[in-house]
Amino acid sequence: MLGSRKPRGALALGAAAGALLVCASGLSAAADDRDRPPGSPDRSPVATGYGGAVSTVDPDATAAGMRMLRRGGTAADAAVAAAAALGVTEPYSAGFGGGGYLLYYSAEDGRVHTLDARETAPAAMGEDAFTEDGEPIPFREAVTSGLSVGAPGAPAAWERAVDTWGRKSLRQVMRPAIELAEDGFTVDATFRDQTAANAGRFADFPATAELFLPGGAPPEPGTVFRNPDLAETYRAFARDGAQVLDGPLGRDVAAAAADPPTAPGTGREVRPGLLTAADVAGYAPVRRDPAHVEFQGLDVYGMAPSSSGGTTVGEALAIVDRSAPGDGDGAGTLHAALEASKLAFADRNAYIGDPAFTDVPVRALLSPEYAERRACLIDPASVLPAPVAPGDPSGGDGNGCPAPVAQPAAPDTEGRSTTHLVTADRWGNVASFTLSIEQTGGSGITVPGRGFLLNNQLTDFDFAASGPGAGEANLPGPGKRPRSSMSPTIVLDDGAPAMALGSPGGATIITTVLHVIVDTAALGTPLPDAVAAPRTSQRNAPETDAEPGFFGTPAEKELTARGHAFSATPEIGAVAALEYLEDGRIRAVAEPERRGGGHAEVLRPGG
Ligand code: GLU
């Protein structure tokens, strides 16, 4: 348990400081009070016990992962089973037509491994693919288009994860999701609302309308939603692996993106895509070294580029470690975290792109020396005027403390969708897996007869550079991966897993993960409280986003006095996490409220 670790380093402030936000919002109930009553069919945000754990946004997906654990599967088997189930029950956030990033702690070698399953641009995609007459095309046109569809990374990653770290066959791992697609799941209010919010564009694509608007309207809560086409797709994948995309299925994916099948008479202009069957069949996930920083004496591992998650969370943590007051001052620590996030986002926007195309200074961005140089810009009593300029991780600006420079803001158009899950098994392996099809509902294009939506992940490219050094690293390119914010994270303490976490939420993923780590590791807040607490999100903008529950807290007052300005936003992130308690138990944690609440389970509850 990070929240009750013995003080180590300047920031181990104890639970009292961490409770600053938590008590203000009335969320001070003892964490284990929220454990799931035995036999309760309801969602439960916290489960504590032994032998393995799963936390996801959805009870059916958690159950799929638990089934693997119960039958001797590893954390990788459980993660893929849960991911495939989410493709059924959360088809607007993730699935077979999308991608994601997996972090995996292998107890066998004591190392954190990664799989980059980011969707890739077609081979025919050039730098100006999202411009017309030299101007970026309207973002909303890119959202519902074939142009924004990247070659899906999920199938190859699921297969690779099971092959590399699993004990079960792909057939066994896919079984729960196949049953779920075939037998159906009970529609809840979130599913209905997400369908309703997309109904206009879904109606323009006959295959999407047929699947998600049965009878012409969103399915009602309480009804059973079946997806036999997806069951068939999953069955073929379970049999053949990702190789199945090198055939009719892959050709169907490419055709749906290249020439999106629209309803006759639709007024929507749907831009065709550039994806080919060869792009789809040729997809390969990439194993990368994780991004790593030390924070509070812990080792924090995140996803290296093509995601900006690991470097941005990591850089911000390294800055917080050097700039927070360390004297029990919770608001001072939050101030440091907001300012660190501002600085780290400036660097993210300037430097992070697909490392196969651009030289990303990962090591320099995460170095203690650079953290010192960024931390020295932070004044404990006032705020940096935002947006701040990126620093120079190469050290070209000298080793002093260069004056902060304001610069034009970078556009933030990332969706707020996606989903995260964590799993752990009896051998001590841990998975932290974020999955996405980008916007809620992805491109809106369902592959006819195949039961899944295509991603619109290529909207995460910068459509054009917004100035010298601004956005160039993330322009489109052939076979390139657009920069992500996904931040699956695993924290080790003396080489052993201490915590795993992640979140959906586009660029707010980064700040969500950052704040939960700061809250738990630096301020001693129990993980369930840190997950539930009202969130803020500073992404190098003059105003910091804050959830409604943050307003009126002592923290808000103290930070406003230092010069922070907050603007209300309904919801930030949705965490799935787990931690190891000092007595050896695992505590799995899901959201209690956001997005309808998630569901956590352990193999053997109690202790
Ligand atoms: N496309 C985003 C990313 O890769 C995620 C979208 C979301 O979280 O909604 O970072």
Side-chain angles (χ1 to χ4, degrees), residues 22 46 52 110 137 158 244 254 303 322 476 520 535:
V22 171
V46 182
I137 64 171
W158 294 354
V244 75
M303 192 63 223
R322 290 160 177 82
T520 50
R535 291 197 185 106

Side-chain angles (χ1 to χ4, degrees), residues 517-556:
I517 296 174
V518 170
D519 262 12
T520 50
L523 295 175
T525 307
L527 180 61
D529 295 334
V531 168
R535 291 197 185 106
T536 55
S537 177
Q538 168 51 252
R539 305 185 303 281
N540 198 17
E543 296 202 335
T544 297
D545 290 340
E547 291 181 322
F550 178 76
F551 291 90
T553 60
E556 188 225 344

Side-chain angles (χ1 to χ4, degrees), residues 84-92 94-97 158 174-187 191 195 202 207-214 219 223-236 249 437 445-454:
L86 288 167
V88 181
T89 60
E90 295 278 324
Y92 308 142
F96 201 74
W158 294 354
M174 292 301 293
R175 193 74 233 157
I178 292 169
E179 287 172 12
L180 199 53
E182 209 151 57
D183 301 344
F185 64 95
T186 306
V187 170
F191 186 83
T195 313
F202 281 3
T208 308
E210 194 187 322
L211 179 59
F212 295 115
L213 300 171
T223 58
V224 173
F225 185 92
R226 294 188 177 82
N227 191 341
D229 287 346
L230 183 58
E232 199 45 49
T233 297
Y234 275 0
R235 242 185 245 109
L249 177 57
I437 59 170
I445 303 166
T446 297
V447 185
R450 304 297 190 173
F452 61 93
L453 283 157
L454 290 174

Side-chain angles (χ1 to χ4, degrees), residues 93 101 118-119 307-308 348 414-419 434-440 456-457 459-460 482-487 503-510 595:
S93 297
Y101 297 92
R118 186 64 159 172
E119 297 90 332
S307 182
S308 63
R348 164 198 186 265
E414 275 176 49
R416 299 283 182 265
S417 177
T418 302
T419 192
T434 314
L435 306 119
S436 177
I437 59 170
E438 174 31 26
Q439 303 263 333
T440 305
N456 58 353
Q457 209 67 254
T459 58
D460 275 359
R483 181 188 66 212
S484 170
S485 297
M486 288 186 249
S487 309
S503 172
T508 69
I509 294 172
I510 291 169
R595 301 189 186 210

Side-chain angles (χ1 to χ4, degrees), residues 96 98 115-117 152-164 237 241-243 245 280-285:
F96 201 74
L115 265 188
D116 175 335
W158 294 354
E159 182 183 31
R160 178 80 76 89
V162 170
D163 278 358
T164 310
F237 169 67
Q243 182 69 28
L245 288 166
V280 176
Y283 184 90

